[in-house]
Amino acid sequence: MPAYYPLFIDGRSWESKSRQAVYNPCTGEVFAQVALADKACVEAALDCARNAFDKGPWKDISPAERKGLLLKVAQGILDKAGELAELETLNTGKPIKESTFMDVPSAAKTFEHFANNLEAYLQEEVVSVLPEVQSRLIRQPQGVVALIVPWNYPLLIASWKLAQALAAGNTVILKPSSLTPLSALALADIAHQAGIPRGVVNVVNGLGSQIGELLCADKRVDMISFTGSNEVGRQIIGYSAKQAKKLVMELGGKSAALVLKDADLELAVNGSLCSIFLNQGQMCTAMSRILVEDEIYDDFVRGLAAKAKLIKLGNGMDRETQMGPLISDAQRKKIIACVENALKEGAKLLCGGRVPDLPELGKGFFFEPTIFSDVTPDMAIFKEEVFGPVACVSRFSGLNEAAELANKSDFGLANCIWSNDSVRAGELAAKINTGTTWVNTYGMFYNEVPYGGFKQSGFGKELGKEGFLEYTRLKNIIVDRTQGTKPLVNYWYGF
Ligand code: NAD
């Protein structure tokens, strides 16, 4: 009998009238049942989060006390690390090595960071506008925040948003993807066990098409922090427009890795493999375009394809597995269509491009690591987000063409530069329209510094002081200490 997970509202398990199955993408089998939120559940979560914000005590407890509780959440995650990693792998299919060494410890670190820094980040600023006029700039929580997260890093992205929102004093309604709701529910339980008061953290699992508008358009929600696709992002902007809510939008990407002729070839090949095949390529920052300087193009492409063929596909729970399945059959169908189209458009298939022909993987949603070369900017595979293990390689000559090609995208999330020449790399980094550039590394997110995209990749920042401050509003208290000599207010009407 698969385990059953209720919703989490008002500091307790919350039942709903319907349930949904949760699948293990490695086997295609149901491994859990979860409550599916309906209108009544969303209403309850909205009421609880609103009351918990308006009536307290969360926003009014001292920063030191809030810090203590958030450190307990971090510890709670570490105490349950093995269980959480297993849950994440069973639900997403990602290799257990990734959930054990990346997702779970990073989630705990984010709570730790914002707990330890919230007092410094919330410091008020005093500006002496005139000798007798002072302005106090103080940071207040936004209020009730809807946190809407995707299925590719369910625990980690939920933890980023939850840690920042709570550290700033908000109450939240967290809506995970209905494909991967389990770790968000486990996180809510950890927060509750740590002593976060009732109603501060609520989790509603449900289909975006059924409960998304109810949640996002409601007056009780002050801010929406969304990570997901551009299509849904646009819908949420529409729902929020009536009340001009505060929004943070972390959307899609079509990121480019630039491999310069002076790069350490082995590092660039290994880095490029990680940057497109980690998490089965289901990363918003996946370097799905690899742009290589003419002089080293052939050697690079040969090395990349040879190593991609060695990546071991398998059940994520097996410690030897290097690549798991895609999240769903629907996602795999989408990727197969992109690959077929790339072939039609004339891209050259170097490896992969198929569902693996291995009986032990037969029931899972697997797809081989795939590389296309000779890709040109007019091809759809160069322009559109695939969100799977498909890389396309193109060549360039000189830095100007490199920047021009990298910037030929509607997105602007991130890019990589592989080069041993720090001057060339620095020059190039400044020319590329992305929110993050990694030089000689990939995928490192640090709690200390902000992350977020340009152009169609969204707006607002996540992490760092700037990301944290998104969850606050800035209030300006102007105090004028002059006596009787204020021309505007004292003499304007001459009374
Ligand atoms: P998605 O947009 O389909 O879903 C994201 C979340 O929105 C889910 O919780 C979903 O249930 C919810 N949702 C769906 N319809 C909704 C609606 N009408 N109203 C409110 N909520 C709704 O995205 P996905 O398929 O889960 O994730 C993949 C996408 O996420 C990719 O485009 C990827 O690039 C993007 N992503 C971006 C970042 C980033 O930091 N920029 C990180 C991870 C993923």
Side-chain angles (χ1 to χ4, degrees):
M1 188 66 177
Y4 168 67
Y5 294 76
L7 307 176
F8 190 87
I9 300 174
D10 199 20
R12 64 184 172 86
S13 296
W14 194 277
E15 295 299 339
S16 78
K17 291 199 182 107
S18 44
R19 293 180 175 199
Q20 78 161 84
V22 182
Y23 292 87
N24 175 345
C26 273
T27 60
E29 285 164 5
V30 175
F31 84 100
Q33 292 282 336
V34 64
L36 198 57
D38 55 14
K39 187 166 187 252
C41 300
V42 176
E43 282 292 329
L46 285 163
D47 273 344
C48 287
R50 189 74 254 168
N51 281 335
F53 185 78
D54 292 341
K55 300 189 178 141
W58 184 243
K59 69 174 188 295
D60 299 320
I61 69 168
S62 72
E65 203 179 330
R66 214 185 292 155
K67 169 182 170 176
L69 290 169
L70 293 178
L71 287 175
K72 280 191 189 163
V73 177
Q75 189 55 50
I77 293 173
L78 295 176
D79 291 345
K80 294 204 163 168
E83 209 177 296
L84 284 171
E86 208 166 282
L87 196 61
E88 199 72 334
T89 285
L90 286 172
N91 200 173
T92 62
K94 67 176 71 188
I96 190 82
K97 189 172 155 190
E98 290 181 29
S99 30
T100 303
F101 295 109
M102 294 181 192
D103 302 20
V104 174
S106 305
K109 266 199 151 176
T110 299
F111 278 94
E112 228 177 81
H113 175 81
F114 289 102
N116 287 328
N117 288 280
L118 71 93
E119 285 178 88
Y121 290 168
L122 290 170
Q123 272 298 324
E124 78 173 51
E125 197 187 331
V126 178
V127 181
S128 288
V129 186
L130 292 169
E132 269 113 9
V133 179
Q134 277 199 333
S135 164
R136 279 177 62 215
L137 300 175
I138 62 169
R139 290 280 170 184
Q140 299 179 324
Q142 292 278 359
V144 175
V145 189
L147 309 175
I148 303 182
V149 298
W151 46 257
N152 61 336
Y153 285 93
L155 175 69
L156 186 56
I157 297 179
S159 296
W160 285 358
K161 292 188 189 297
L162 191 61
Q164 295 173 100
L166 293 183
N170 300 284
T171 63
V172 310
I173 301 168
L174 169 61
K175 199 207 91 53
S177 162
S178 52
L179 290 172
T180 54
L182 304 186
S183 50
L185 289 162
L187 192 57
D189 185 54
I190 289 171
H192 175 66
Q193 299 299 333
I196 304 284
R198 263 178 71 183
V200 173
V201 177
N202 305 279
V203 181
V204 290
N205 167 59
L207 295 173
S209 55
Q210 287 173 7
I211 62 166
E213 186 169 2
L214 281 175
L215 182 61
C216 297
D218 195 277
K219 264 191 172 170
R220 284 162 285 188
V221 170
D222 300 294
M223 170 180 175
I224 304 165
S225 176
F226 171 74
T227 298
S229 64
N230 286 62
E231 192 190 340
V232 173
R234 279 191 291 271
Q235 287 174 9
I236 290 178
I237 292 171
Y239 304 150
S240 69
K242 235 183 180 171
Q243 278 125 30
K245 292 178 201 281
K246 161 82 183 180
L247 297 174
V248 169
M249 289 277 141
E250 302 293 348
L251 308 176
K254 187 75 192 175
S255 298
L258 294 118
V259 187
L260 308 196
K261 63 185 177 197
D262 50 67
D264 173 333
L265 204 59
E266 193 180 354
L267 181 74
V269 165
N270 290 343
S272 298
L273 284 175
C274 288
S275 72
I276 181 62
F277 297 132
L278 269 182
N279 206 32
Q280 297 71 247
Q282 301 167 139
M283 300 177 286
C284 51
T285 53
M287 297 291 143
S288 51
R289 295 183 295 152
I290 306 177
L291 313 178
V292 189
E293 200 154 14
D294 263 338
E295 288 83 344
I296 55 161
Y297 183 87
D298 292 334
D299 288 345
F300 177 88
V301 163
R302 209 174 303 118
L304 188 73
K307 286 191 173 172
K309 286 178 191 161
L310 301 177
I311 292 176
K312 188 175 179 304
L313 274 72
N315 190 315
M317 292 303 287
D318 178 347
R319 293 204 170 255
E320 300 298 306
T321 290
Q322 293 171 320
M323 189 190 270
L326 301 171
I327 190 70
S328 65
D329 194 37
Q331 186 68 9
R332 183 165 66 174
K333 286 196 174 104
K334 218 182 101 194
I335 286 163
I336 291 172
C338 292
V339 166
E340 284 171 355
N341 192 47
L343 288 169
K344 263 191 227 145
E345 288 188 312
K348 184 172 159 196
L349 184 65
L350 293 182
C351 67
R354 296 176 318 148
V355 171
D357 188 17
L358 296 169
E360 69 273 22
L361 305 183
K363 288 189 184 150
F365 312 129
F366 290 88
F367 195 74
E368 288 179 346
T370 299
I371 301 174
F372 285 106
S373 68
D374 300 350
V375 173
T376 52
D378 53 312
M379 295 180 186
I381 197 82
F382 187 93
K383 295 188 270 196
E384 289 163 16
E385 186 179 46
V386 175
F387 220 59
V390 182
C392 56
V393 190
S394 314
R395 60 168 80 226
F396 68 85
S397 169
L399 294 195
N400 286 340
E401 197 188 1
E404 196 185 313
L405 271 183
N407 287 335
K408 229 173 224 181
S409 173
D410 291 338
F411 298 106
L413 192 55
N415 75 291
C416 280
I417 297 175
W418 301 97
S419 168
N420 274 330
D421 182 334
S422 56
V423 175
R424 283 187 96 213
E427 244 177 68
L428 188 53
K431 287 183 182 166
I432 298 184
N433 293 325
T434 56
T436 299
T437 293
W438 284 290
V439 179
N440 292 329
T441 187
Y442 167 72
M444 301 309 292
F445 294 93
Y446 299 101
N447 293 307
E448 293 74 8
V449 284
Y451 155 77
F454 297 164
K455 304 199 279 184
Q456 294 293 308
S457 292
F459 51 84
K461 296 292 179 193
E462 193 89 87
L463 304 181
K465 182 176 178 184
E466 293 77 4
F468 170 82
L469 292 181
E470 300 277 6
Y471 292 86
T472 67
R473 57 186 194 184
L474 186 63
K475 184 173 172 71
N476 183 0
I477 303 174
I478 300 172
V479 179
D480 187 332
R481 296 184 210 287
T482 53
Q483 305 288 328
T485 55
K486 298 170 207 181
L488 178 65
V489 293
N490 258 3
Y491 311 124
W492 194 256
Y493 295 106
F495 303 140

